[in-house]
Amino acid sequence: MMKLMTKAIEKKFLKNSNDKIESVFQKKVIVKFFTPFANWTWFAVEAEKLEDGDWRFYGLVFGHEKEFGYFLLSELESVNGPFGLKIERDLYFDNPTIEEVLNRGH
């Protein structure tokens, strides 16, 4: 099973949180999660490790609507799709800004 969160990704979130960019549209997307069995995608720009060890992300979600919000790693990991498919992390994602993601459409 693919790890959705790694130490390398944690370091990228730490660097991103230290950047003094105020507009969420100019923030770099650190990680992209997606469902291989439905049309849902999560673009995380911020992350915080919670006391219970879970991670809370903030970013842009393309689902029924395009919206900004918070989502938990545990929620992503708990999804079970058809044929045992799980949410995956895009290994070839090029870390655009949120604005670039919106301009691309995905």
Side-chain angles (χ1 to χ4, degrees):
M1 182 171 100
M2 171 185 286
K3 282 189 76 162
L4 297 181
M5 189 66 162
T6 65
K7 294 290 183 193
I9 295 170
E10 287 180 33
K11 288 179 185 176
K12 287 181 181 181
F13 275 116
L14 183 59
K15 181 185 179 311
N16 216 34
S17 68
N18 290 331
D19 288 345
K20 299 301 177 206
I21 298 171
E22 292 188 24
S23 170
V24 70
F25 295 100
Q26 298 306 314
K27 286 194 175 245
K28 290 277 189 185
V29 176
I30 300 302
V31 64
K32 172 186 171 186
F33 303 110
F34 67 95
T35 55
F37 50 87
N39 197 24
W40 280 74
T41 307
W42 296 260
F43 299 93
V45 295
E46 296 176 2
E48 170 188 21
K49 191 166 191 174
L50 304 177
E51 288 183 15
D52 64 3
D54 201 355
W55 283 88
R56 179 175 43 215
F57 299 103
Y58 178 77
L60 181 62
V61 180
F62 287 16
H64 296 297
E65 304 285 334
K66 292 179 187 172
E67 60 186 348
F68 288 97
Y70 291 93
F71 48 96
L72 296 173
L73 179 63
S74 60
E75 292 172 333
L76 298 177
E77 291 175 335
S78 71
V79 172
N80 289 307
F83 308 107
L85 293 172
K86 299 279 198 180
I87 290 177
E88 296 183 21
R89 177 172 41 89
D90 187 339
L91 300 176
Y92 305 101
F93 193 61
D94 61 352
N95 302 101
T97 64
I98 287 289
E99 183 175 38
E100 291 168 330
V101 168
L102 288 167
N103 288 337
R104 290 181 190 174
H106 240 318

